[in-house]
Amino acid sequence: RTYVDLDAARVKNRGAIEDDGSAYLAELRTQRAITAKVRNLTANGPPYNPTQLREKFETRDRQVNPGKWRDIDRYLKEDRDGVTKRRRDRYVMFFAEKDEEERAQREALEATTTMELTP
């Protein structure tokens, strides 16, 4: 096609729209989907927040590399136990009182359950 043919086609299309533009645009409006009231087409934020993304990747990695995560979990448990031991060594009186309260609550709970069971 030459530039003359393109100009002729452009003039023809422009004339068709100007002559019968309202009907042509009305047809297009009926075909177009209404998206003004659809809220889920707009992106309000990333699909995951960083915590969800980290949990998703960790869950997948736990399934793929169970041995690695077994070692990590063991290390974290040992670290947690070490922290607890250091706290107990440093604050002896606090944990002694706490252990005594827990023991008393446990005994009271056992006493109430045995009373309920005996007729």
Side-chain angles (χ1 to χ4, degrees):
R1 296 180 82 167
T2 64
Y3 285 110
V4 175
D5 292 337
L6 291 175
D7 286 338
R10 190 178 312 127
V11 168
K12 178 182 161 190
N13 290 341
R14 189 175 292 147
I17 289 175
E18 288 174 359
D19 292 341
D20 195 13
S22 60
Y24 178 73
L25 293 176
E27 286 179 29
L28 288 179
R29 284 191 187 101
T30 58
Q31 294 174 3
R32 189 180 335 152
I34 297 171
T35 60
K37 295 181 181 177
V38 180
R39 299 188 70 193
N40 61 355
L41 293 179
T42 59
N44 294 329
Y48 299 99
N49 65 32
T51 305
Q52 288 174 326
L53 200 60
R54 187 169 41 253
E55 288 173 358
K56 179 180 169 184
F57 287 145
E58 183 178 324
T59 303
R60 186 180 330 158
D61 196 36
R62 280 183 180 272
Q63 291 173 349
V64 174
N65 301 314
K68 168 186 150 183
W69 283 97
R70 193 173 26 250
D71 294 342
I72 291 173
D73 291 339
R74 187 179 67 236
Y75 169 76
L76 290 175
K77 184 181 181 316
E78 290 172 358
D79 186 45
R80 211 174 315 119
D81 293 344
V83 169
T84 305
K85 183 179 180 302
R86 284 191 298 277
R87 284 182 182 164
R88 285 187 166 276
D89 291 344
R90 184 168 183 179
Y91 306 107
V92 176
M93 293 304 297
F94 171 78
F95 282 102
E97 292 171 4
K98 185 176 175 184
D99 291 341
E100 181 61 31
E101 289 175 8
E102 289 176 359
R103 187 187 58 73
Q105 288 176 356
R106 204 170 34 249
E107 287 177 357
L109 182 65
E110 289 173 0
T112 57
T113 56
T114 55
M115 288 176 52
E116 292 173 359
L117 295 176
T118 55

